Amino acid sequence: MNTHDNGAKNTLLTPGNVITAIILLVGLFITVLRFTKGIGSVTALDDNNPWGIWISFDLLCGVVLAAGGYTTTSAYYLFGLKHFRSAVRPAITSAFLGYAFVVFALHYDVGQPWRLVYPIFVSQGTTSILFEVGLCVFLYVTVLAIEFSPAVWEWLGIKKLRSLVLPLTIPLTILGVILSTMHQSSLGALYLIAPSKMHPLWYSSFIPVFFFISSMFAGMSMVIFEGILAHKGLHGKMDALHLKQADGVVLAFGKASAFVMMGYLFIRFYGVAMDNNFKYLFTGYGLWFLVETIGFVALPAFLYAMGARERNVSLMKIAAVITVLGVVLNRFNVSQVAFNYQLDASERYFPHWMEIGVSVFVVTLIITAYRFICTKMPVMYEHPEYKDAH
Amino acid sequence: MQRRKFLTLMSAAGLGAALSPASANAAATTSFNGHPEAVGVLHDSVRCIGCRKCEEGCFKVNGQDLPAFKNDPSAQRPDFADLEVLNKKRRTNCNTYTVVNRYQTEKGPVYRKLQCNHCQEPACASACFVKAFVKTPEGPVVYKPELCVGCRYCMVACPFYVPTYDYGSAWNPLVYKCTMCAPRIAKGQLPGCVEACPKEALVFGKRTDLINIARERIQKNPELYDAKVFGESEMGGTNWLYLSPVQHTELAQPELGKTSAPELTSGALGAVAMVAGIWPVLLGGAYAINKRRTKMAQEEAKEAVTTAVATTREEAEAKLQKALAKAEKDKDAAVAREVKKAREEAIQETEAKFAPPQAPDGESTPEDASGKEGDA
């Protein structure tokens, strides 16, 4: 099968490995500080700004960028688009890792991480949007773990467990879309409770819808984006089917993204129109709002559409990168730029370098885990023994 | 009775959410106006002189529970006689439940006291995912530290920036905020700040009475007071109420609507039930439709092949008959052999031509959906 890891096999001292090692060491150092000296010793958080980049990036971006799991599985299993076959496992793998590390990163952010199960098992605050987020993420991590597990069973050769899990594929896919709809939208709904603290251009009663719709094209664009990275680092692990379908996946998801993004642009405009917030468009915040919506939604949507018409895969890859950046920008705009906009500049939040350090640490862990899994397990290729199973 | 009540609740919740996301509350025709017996405090900025005695009174009651003083009796106490601090904008923090700020207005310096407003429908309690905040019918919003996970969503949610966090603690960081001195109230005592106020700028009592007192003061001296009682309706009303000689916004009170925090999120929470109910139908439907269409396409293809093969067989048979007739006529065995060969060839050729196409993951059941199609 696929064992051609040619380059850099004999030495561990590659630049990539050295950088990874440094990041991991710094991450461990900050981790020790965080859990011995408290959150205050490693963050710039304060009483006005309780949520920093560990929420904006690790939670909000982490969850939305892991949406490729539900978009790809529903495209393949539910809508019957067979040319997504080879994209399913990589998408489930990255979604599972994405969510698992969202939960991991939350242990840094909450004050008493050993109580993270309280909302589910001890005291259920059912009136809270965050309760819904917590419950859905908890359930969805479980769903993703099961969906991902066949790769592990095939790797370990445990056929019994594999055949136990496979009949669950369709119900799990449907459950995954339900849970994703709920918590993707609920992450936006978290901000519904604080209208007085949010800039009107980003506050709308439709914010849950905005978050959910944007998760669709975020997920699809992430599949394309991860494909770019995977072809750089893990090309040798891909089988013929994966390589054959790769461009088709880009074209199909790019085209779908173009459509969804056009709809999204319309509802974002409607959000401004409904609350008659046009006057804010001519302020600094308005300009920034236009940068986000025109520069990072309309533009990549247009590039995607052009790429679809000309069947230009490279153009679509560029569009995917801009789209992913745009979704990250949106989540930061909601949670940092718009939130507390009315406070003095001196009262606003800017992350401590160690907060960034933890986020970089987490991303590095995800990439390392992803590389490990794709190297060992049948993700980018199909396990020869199970190719024609049943 | 129980069952009927359950069904009524269910249908009310369902219908409410379905008809209008903004009123997922079952009780669309009633409104909650606070617990009738709840107590609160009225702060009158016309009377307040900014002496910080309330801060000191608060510290006397609560100081020993605050992180900086809890385990360190030698920690330096704040100097409440120092009025210089009024020159800068202050806020509450985990070591100070209340502060007084000074605002320069056209009517001279005006003081406002900040602490938890003990909302009638608190954002913090609505936002807390472990119910660590409870609105008591007596009035105070109390915190249960033993449940707190430390997510700090209460701090995001609170429109008054009241809950604070002990970021310095590694093992037991908690939220800190004014308790309205709930334990003292339960014993029939006044809150620490109210007891300490030398100018009666703070009045403790039943919220409904406080509103009457506030109105009376405005009516008696309309030139001294702004007409608005802040807290009467803000985000569903608060149990702390404020009178001011100038517009409340000049004292940095936030501009808030009347909608309570729970109402702001109830629509989104109601939609959850809708998604859980209808998504399985839509998605399961999409799956079933695709499965059915694939099956229909396969059946059509199969039928076409069967028909084609039958037609060819007939044609070949006819050819054979014709050839046989000819052979019989000629009585030539060699020719007859040729004819037989021709027949076989014809069948083979058509079978190859109309061989069933590779089924595209045909009759796939859920379990083999991921395992099949290895031929692709």
Side-chain angles (χ1 to χ4, degrees), chain A residues 38-76:
Chain A
I39 298 172
S41 61
V42 295
T43 69
L45 298 174
D46 60 28
D47 291 328
N48 289 330
N49 303 287
W51 283 0
I53 63 162
W54 290 348
I55 295 297
S56 299
F57 185 76
D58 299 10
L59 176 65
L60 298 183
C61 294
V63 167
V64 75
L65 297 182
Y70 88 84
T71 51
T72 312
T73 51
S74 52
Y76 178 68

mmCIF file of all heavy atoms in Angstrom, chain A residues 38-76:
data_model
loop_
_atom_site.group_PDB
_atom_site.id
_atom_site.type_symbol
_atom_site.label_atom_id
_atom_site.label_comp_id
_atom_site.label_asym_id
_atom_site.label_seq_id
_atom_site.Cartn_x
_atom_site.Cartn_y
_atom_site.Cartn_z
ATOM 1 N N GLY A 38 -3.006 30.877 37.775
ATOM 2 C CA GLY A 38 -4.321 31.413 37.439
ATOM 3 C C GLY A 38 -4.389 32.043 36.059
ATOM 4 O O GLY A 38 -3.366 32.316 35.426
ATOM 5 N N ILE A 39 -5.619 32.276 35.619
ATOM 6 C CA ILE A 39 -5.857 32.823 34.283
ATOM 7 C C ILE A 39 -5.219 34.200 34.136
ATOM 8 O O ILE A 39 -4.683 34.550 33.087
ATOM 9 C CB ILE A 39 -7.373 32.920 34.018
ATOM 10 C CG1 ILE A 39 -8.008 31.525 34.071
ATOM 11 C CG2 ILE A 39 -7.660 33.561 32.667
ATOM 12 C CD1 ILE A 39 -9.517 31.543 34.018
ATOM 13 N N GLY A 40 -5.289 34.967 35.218
ATOM 14 C CA GLY A 40 -4.789 36.337 35.154
ATOM 15 C C GLY A 40 -3.313 36.435 34.828
ATOM 16 O O GLY A 40 -2.851 37.433 34.278
ATOM 17 N N SER A 41 -2.549 35.370 35.153
ATOM 18 C CA SER A 41 -1.105 35.444 34.940
ATOM 19 C C SER A 41 -0.709 35.264 33.479
ATOM 20 O O SER A 41 0.413 35.580 33.102
ATOM 21 C CB SER A 41 -0.408 34.378 35.793
ATOM 22 O OG SER A 41 -0.864 33.101 35.401
ATOM 23 N N VAL A 42 -1.616 34.758 32.660
ATOM 24 C CA VAL A 42 -1.239 34.518 31.256
ATOM 25 C C VAL A 42 -2.169 35.233 30.260
ATOM 26 O O VAL A 42 -2.010 35.076 29.052
ATOM 27 C CB VAL A 42 -1.221 33.015 30.918
ATOM 28 C CG1 VAL A 42 -0.139 32.293 31.709
ATOM 29 C CG2 VAL A 42 -2.564 32.365 31.154
ATOM 30 N N THR A 43 -3.156 35.968 30.766
ATOM 31 C CA THR A 43 -4.093 36.615 29.846
ATOM 32 C C THR A 43 -4.217 38.095 30.146
ATOM 33 O O THR A 43 -3.821 38.569 31.209
ATOM 34 C CB THR A 43 -5.510 36.015 29.947
ATOM 35 O OG1 THR A 43 -6.067 36.383 31.213
ATOM 36 C CG2 THR A 43 -5.509 34.516 29.811
ATOM 37 N N ALA A 44 -4.815 38.804 29.183
ATOM 38 C CA ALA A 44 -5.111 40.220 29.361
ATOM 39 C C ALA A 44 -6.587 40.402 29.693
ATOM 40 O O ALA A 44 -7.129 41.488 29.554
ATOM 41 C CB ALA A 44 -4.755 40.980 28.088
ATOM 42 N N LEU A 45 -7.242 39.334 30.111
ATOM 43 C CA LEU A 45 -8.670 39.424 30.413
ATOM 44 C C LEU A 45 -8.888 40.270 31.668
ATOM 45 O O LEU A 45 -8.039 40.311 32.550
ATOM 46 C CB LEU A 45 -9.246 38.029 30.637
ATOM 47 C CG LEU A 45 -9.165 37.091 29.430
ATOM 48 C CD1 LEU A 45 -9.617 35.695 29.809
ATOM 49 C CD2 LEU A 45 -10.013 37.633 28.289
ATOM 50 N N ASP A 46 -10.025 40.936 31.715
ATOM 51 C CA ASP A 46 -10.364 41.683 32.925
ATOM 52 C C ASP A 46 -11.877 41.641 33.132
ATOM 53 O O ASP A 46 -12.585 40.913 32.440
ATOM 54 C CB ASP A 46 -9.829 43.114 32.849
ATOM 55 C CG ASP A 46 -10.402 43.885 31.678
ATOM 56 O OD1 ASP A 46 -11.543 43.573 31.262
ATOM 57 O OD2 ASP A 46 -9.724 44.790 31.163
ATOM 58 N N ASP A 47 -12.357 42.443 34.077
ATOM 59 C CA ASP A 47 -13.773 42.370 34.413
ATOM 60 C C ASP A 47 -14.684 42.898 33.307
ATOM 61 O O ASP A 47 -15.837 42.490 33.203
ATOM 62 C CB ASP A 47 -14.029 43.139 35.715
ATOM 63 C CG ASP A 47 -13.408 42.429 36.909
ATOM 64 O OD1 ASP A 47 -13.354 41.184 36.888
ATOM 65 O OD2 ASP A 47 -12.975 43.106 37.856
ATOM 66 N N ASN A 48 -14.172 43.803 32.481
ATOM 67 C CA ASN A 48 -14.976 44.286 31.353
ATOM 68 C C ASN A 48 -14.902 43.347 30.160
ATOM 69 O O ASN A 48 -15.819 43.296 29.344
ATOM 70 C CB ASN A 48 -14.488 45.666 30.886
ATOM 71 C CG ASN A 48 -14.820 46.750 31.897
ATOM 72 O OD1 ASN A 48 -15.815 46.647 32.615
ATOM 73 N ND2 ASN A 48 -13.983 47.768 31.963
ATOM 74 N N ASN A 49 -13.805 42.641 30.055
ATOM 75 C CA ASN A 49 -13.556 41.791 28.881
ATOM 76 C C ASN A 49 -13.299 40.355 29.315
ATOM 77 O O ASN A 49 -12.164 39.902 29.368
ATOM 78 C CB ASN A 49 -12.359 42.323 28.095
ATOM 79 C CG ASN A 49 -12.548 43.759 27.667
ATOM 80 O OD1 ASN A 49 -13.325 44.046 26.770
ATOM 81 N ND2 ASN A 49 -11.869 44.675 28.343
ATOM 82 N N PRO A 50 -14.385 39.658 29.648
ATOM 83 C CA PRO A 50 -14.198 38.302 30.188
ATOM 84 C C PRO A 50 -13.839 37.252 29.126
ATOM 85 O O PRO A 50 -13.368 36.183 29.478
ATOM 86 C CB PRO A 50 -15.548 37.990 30.820
ATOM 87 C CG PRO A 50 -16.529 38.861 30.098
ATOM 88 C CD PRO A 50 -15.788 40.083 29.683
ATOM 89 N N TRP A 51 -14.097 37.579 27.865
ATOM 90 C CA TRP A 51 -13.816 36.604 26.806
ATOM 91 C C TRP A 51 -12.778 37.153 25.831
ATOM 92 O O TRP A 51 -13.003 38.158 25.165
ATOM 93 C CB TRP A 51 -15.102 36.259 26.021
ATOM 94 C CG TRP A 51 -16.009 35.323 26.771
ATOM 95 C CD1 TRP A 51 -15.804 34.788 28.004
ATOM 96 C CD2 TRP A 51 -17.272 34.809 26.321
ATOM 97 N NE1 TRP A 51 -16.861 33.985 28.348
ATOM 98 C CE2 TRP A 51 -17.765 33.963 27.351
ATOM 99 C CE3 TRP A 51 -18.026 34.967 25.159
ATOM 100 C CZ2 TRP A 51 -18.988 33.299 27.244
ATOM 101 C CZ3 TRP A 51 -19.243 34.300 25.054
ATOM 102 C CH2 TRP A 51 -19.709 33.466 26.082
ATOM 103 N N GLY A 52 -11.662 36.462 25.743
ATOM 104 C CA GLY A 52 -10.592 36.896 24.850
ATOM 105 C C GLY A 52 -10.485 35.987 23.636
ATOM 106 O O GLY A 52 -11.472 35.416 23.170
ATOM 107 N N ILE A 53 -9.256 35.820 23.154
ATOM 108 C CA ILE A 53 -9.096 35.056 21.912
ATOM 109 C C ILE A 53 -9.271 33.551 22.153
ATOM 110 O O ILE A 53 -9.465 32.802 21.207
ATOM 111 C CB ILE A 53 -7.734 35.319 21.228
ATOM 112 C CG1 ILE A 53 -6.584 34.878 22.115
ATOM 113 C CG2 ILE A 53 -7.596 36.762 20.829
ATOM 114 C CD1 ILE A 53 -5.292 34.703 21.317
ATOM 115 N N TRP A 54 -9.225 33.114 23.409
ATOM 116 C CA TRP A 54 -9.491 31.695 23.637
ATOM 117 C C TRP A 54 -10.946 31.359 23.325
ATOM 118 O O TRP A 54 -11.285 30.215 23.060
ATOM 119 C CB TRP A 54 -9.156 31.309 25.084
ATOM 120 C CG TRP A 54 -7.683 31.320 25.358
ATOM 121 C CD1 TRP A 54 -6.695 31.408 24.430
ATOM 122 C CD2 TRP A 54 -7.039 31.239 26.630
ATOM 123 N NE1 TRP A 54 -5.469 31.381 25.054
ATOM 124 C CE2 TRP A 54 -5.648 31.284 26.404
ATOM 125 C CE3 TRP A 54 -7.496 31.132 27.941
ATOM 126 C CZ2 TRP A 54 -4.719 31.227 27.431
ATOM 127 C CZ3 TRP A 54 -6.572 31.071 28.972
ATOM 128 C CH2 TRP A 54 -5.197 31.121 28.720
ATOM 129 N N ILE A 55 -11.794 32.385 23.416
ATOM 130 C CA ILE A 55 -13.184 32.193 22.976
ATOM 131 C C ILE A 55 -13.289 32.548 21.494
ATOM 132 O O ILE A 55 -13.806 31.775 20.688
ATOM 133 C CB ILE A 55 -14.148 33.062 23.811
ATOM 134 C CG1 ILE A 55 -14.152 32.597 25.273
ATOM 135 C CG2 ILE A 55 -15.556 33.001 23.218
ATOM 136 C CD1 ILE A 55 -14.643 31.189 25.503
ATOM 137 N N SER A 56 -12.768 33.716 21.115
ATOM 138 C CA SER A 56 -12.918 34.178 19.729
ATOM 139 C C SER A 56 -12.299 33.203 18.737
ATOM 140 O O SER A 56 -12.907 32.860 17.723
ATOM 141 C CB SER A 56 -12.258 35.540 19.546
ATOM 142 O OG SER A 56 -12.869 36.484 20.376
ATOM 143 N N PHE A 57 -11.078 32.779 19.029
ATOM 144 C CA PHE A 57 -10.391 31.906 18.063
ATOM 145 C C PHE A 57 -10.619 30.431 18.381
ATOM 146 O O PHE A 57 -11.169 29.678 17.571
ATOM 147 C CB PHE A 57 -8.899 32.222 18.016
ATOM 148 C CG PHE A 57 -8.170 31.437 16.967
ATOM 149 C CD1 PHE A 57 -8.283 31.774 15.625
ATOM 150 C CD2 PHE A 57 -7.400 30.331 17.312
ATOM 151 C CE1 PHE A 57 -7.653 31.033 14.651
ATOM 152 C CE2 PHE A 57 -6.755 29.588 16.337
ATOM 153 C CZ PHE A 57 -6.883 29.938 15.008
ATOM 154 N N ASP A 58 -10.225 30.019 19.587
ATOM 155 C CA ASP A 58 -10.256 28.585 19.890
ATOM 156 C C ASP A 58 -11.670 28.025 19.873
ATOM 157 O O ASP A 58 -11.899 26.907 19.395
ATOM 158 C CB ASP A 58 -9.618 28.318 21.262
ATOM 159 C CG ASP A 58 -8.155 28.751 21.313
ATOM 160 O OD1 ASP A 58 -7.717 29.422 20.356
ATOM 161 O OD2 ASP A 58 -7.461 28.432 22.274
ATOM 162 N N LEU A 59 -12.630 28.781 20.403
ATOM 163 C CA LEU A 59 -14.003 28.261 20.421
ATOM 164 C C LEU A 59 -14.773 28.640 19.157
ATOM 165 O O LEU A 59 -15.186 27.766 18.391
ATOM 166 C CB LEU A 59 -14.756 28.759 21.664
ATOM 167 C CG LEU A 59 -16.240 28.354 21.715
ATOM 168 C CD1 LEU A 59 -16.403 26.852 21.835
ATOM 169 C CD2 LEU A 59 -16.965 29.038 22.862
ATOM 170 N N LEU A 60 -14.957 29.950 18.916
ATOM 171 C CA LEU A 60 -15.824 30.356 17.803
ATOM 172 C C LEU A 60 -15.243 29.927 16.457
ATOM 173 O O LEU A 60 -15.927 29.314 15.640
ATOM 174 C CB LEU A 60 -16.044 31.873 17.830
ATOM 175 C CG LEU A 60 -16.755 32.437 19.067
ATOM 176 C CD1 LEU A 60 -16.972 33.933 18.909
ATOM 177 C CD2 LEU A 60 -18.090 31.752 19.301
ATOM 178 N N CYS A 61 -13.972 30.249 16.223
ATOM 179 C CA CYS A 61 -13.356 29.863 14.951
ATOM 180 C C CYS A 61 -13.151 28.351 14.898
ATOM 181 O O CYS A 61 -13.379 27.717 13.865
ATOM 182 C CB CYS A 61 -12.038 30.589 14.736
ATOM 183 S SG CYS A 61 -12.247 32.360 14.541
ATOM 184 N N GLY A 62 -12.736 27.778 16.018
ATOM 185 C CA GLY A 62 -12.505 26.331 16.051
ATOM 186 C C GLY A 62 -13.730 25.557 15.618
ATOM 187 O O GLY A 62 -13.652 24.632 14.811
ATOM 188 N N VAL A 63 -14.876 25.944 16.139
ATOM 189 C CA VAL A 63 -16.108 25.223 15.821
ATOM 190 C C VAL A 63 -16.528 25.482 14.375
ATOM 191 O O VAL A 63 -16.880 24.552 13.646
ATOM 192 C CB VAL A 63 -17.233 25.611 16.805
ATOM 193 C CG1 VAL A 63 -18.575 25.130 16.290
ATOM 194 C CG2 VAL A 63 -16.960 25.015 18.175
ATOM 195 N N VAL A 64 -16.468 26.734 13.949
ATOM 196 C CA VAL A 64 -16.976 27.017 12.597
ATOM 197 C C VAL A 64 -16.049 26.412 11.534
ATOM 198 O O VAL A 64 -16.511 25.950 10.490
ATOM 199 C CB VAL A 64 -17.201 28.530 12.371
ATOM 200 C CG1 VAL A 64 -15.900 29.280 12.169
ATOM 201 C CG2 VAL A 64 -18.115 28.744 11.180
ATOM 202 N N LEU A 65 -14.758 26.377 11.818
ATOM 203 C CA LEU A 65 -13.847 25.832 10.813
ATOM 204 C C LEU A 65 -13.864 24.308 10.806
ATOM 205 O O LEU A 65 -13.326 23.682 9.899
ATOM 206 C CB LEU A 65 -12.422 26.358 11.041
ATOM 207 C CG LEU A 65 -12.288 27.884 10.894
ATOM 208 C CD1 LEU A 65 -10.851 28.317 11.095
ATOM 209 C CD2 LEU A 65 -12.810 28.378 9.553
ATOM 210 N N ALA A 66 -14.501 23.717 11.812
ATOM 211 C CA ALA A 66 -14.650 22.263 11.818
ATOM 212 C C ALA A 66 -15.985 21.844 11.200
ATOM 213 O O ALA A 66 -16.374 20.686 11.285
ATOM 214 C CB ALA A 66 -14.523 21.720 13.234
ATOM 215 N N ALA A 67 -16.668 22.803 10.585
ATOM 216 C CA ALA A 67 -17.985 22.498 10.007
ATOM 217 C C ALA A 67 -17.881 21.633 8.752
ATOM 218 O O ALA A 67 -18.900 21.177 8.237
ATOM 219 C CB ALA A 67 -18.731 23.794 9.686
ATOM 220 N N GLY A 68 -16.662 21.423 8.261
ATOM 221 C CA GLY A 68 -16.498 20.567 7.080
ATOM 222 C C GLY A 68 -17.023 19.158 7.313
ATOM 223 O O GLY A 68 -17.400 18.462 6.375
ATOM 224 N N GLY A 69 -17.061 18.755 8.581
ATOM 225 C CA GLY A 69 -17.560 17.415 8.902
ATOM 226 C C GLY A 69 -19.004 17.232 8.496
ATOM 227 O O GLY A 69 -19.338 16.318 7.756
ATOM 228 N N TYR A 70 -19.849 18.154 8.938
ATOM 229 C CA TYR A 70 -21.264 17.952 8.627
ATOM 230 C C TYR A 70 -21.584 18.283 7.168
ATOM 231 O O TYR A 70 -22.454 17.664 6.564
ATOM 232 C CB TYR A 70 -22.171 18.709 9.616
ATOM 233 C CG TYR A 70 -22.515 20.146 9.282
ATOM 234 C CD1 TYR A 70 -23.568 20.442 8.422
ATOM 235 C CD2 TYR A 70 -21.824 21.214 9.842
ATOM 236 C CE1 TYR A 70 -23.912 21.755 8.131
ATOM 237 C CE2 TYR A 70 -22.154 22.514 9.558
ATOM 238 C CZ TYR A 70 -23.202 22.790 8.699
ATOM 239 O OH TYR A 70 -23.530 24.085 8.400
ATOM 240 N N THR A 71 -20.868 19.243 6.566
ATOM 241 C CA THR A 71 -21.171 19.561 5.172
ATOM 242 C C THR A 71 -20.780 18.394 4.260
ATOM 243 O O THR A 71 -21.548 18.009 3.382
ATOM 244 C CB THR A 71 -20.440 20.840 4.717
ATOM 245 O OG1 THR A 71 -19.055 20.732 5.042
ATOM 246 C CG2 THR A 71 -20.988 22.065 5.391
ATOM 247 N N THR A 72 -19.602 17.815 4.509
ATOM 248 C CA THR A 72 -19.149 16.737 3.617
ATOM 249 C C THR A 72 -19.963 15.458 3.812
ATOM 250 O O THR A 72 -20.365 14.821 2.834
ATOM 251 C CB THR A 72 -17.654 16.444 3.866
ATOM 252 O OG1 THR A 72 -16.944 17.668 3.870
ATOM 253 C CG2 THR A 72 -17.095 15.539 2.787
ATOM 254 N N THR A 73 -20.227 15.098 5.078
ATOM 255 C CA THR A 73 -20.987 13.863 5.288
ATOM 256 C C THR A 73 -22.401 13.996 4.743
ATOM 257 O O THR A 73 -22.937 13.041 4.179
ATOM 258 C CB THR A 73 -21.049 13.485 6.785
ATOM 259 O OG1 THR A 73 -21.487 14.615 7.537
ATOM 260 C CG2 THR A 73 -19.705 13.017 7.300
ATOM 261 N N SER A 74 -23.014 15.171 4.890
ATOM 262 C CA SER A 74 -24.370 15.275 4.351
ATOM 263 C C SER A 74 -24.342 15.289 2.832
ATOM 264 O O SER A 74 -25.243 14.739 2.190
ATOM 265 C CB SER A 74 -25.123 16.478 4.923
ATOM 266 O OG SER A 74 -24.372 17.645 4.767
ATOM 267 N N ALA A 75 -23.310 15.890 2.230
ATOM 268 C CA ALA A 75 -23.232 15.878 0.763
ATOM 269 C C ALA A 75 -23.122 14.449 0.248
ATOM 270 O O ALA A 75 -23.792 14.065 -0.713
ATOM 271 C CB ALA A 75 -22.029 16.695 0.293
ATOM 272 N N TYR A 76 -22.298 13.644 0.923
ATOM 273 C CA TYR A 76 -22.063 12.290 0.415
ATOM 274 C C TYR A 76 -23.180 11.322 0.804
ATOM 275 O O TYR A 76 -23.783 10.678 -0.041
ATOM 276 C CB TYR A 76 -20.713 11.773 0.927
ATOM 277 C CG TYR A 76 -20.420 10.359 0.473
ATOM 278 C CD1 TYR A 76 -20.172 10.086 -0.875
ATOM 279 C CD2 TYR A 76 -20.421 9.307 1.376
ATOM 280 C CE1 TYR A 76 -19.931 8.796 -1.300
ATOM 281 C CE2 TYR A 76 -20.167 8.013 0.958
ATOM 282 C CZ TYR A 76 -19.925 7.753 -0.379
ATOM 283 O OH TYR A 76 -19.691 6.475 -0.807
#
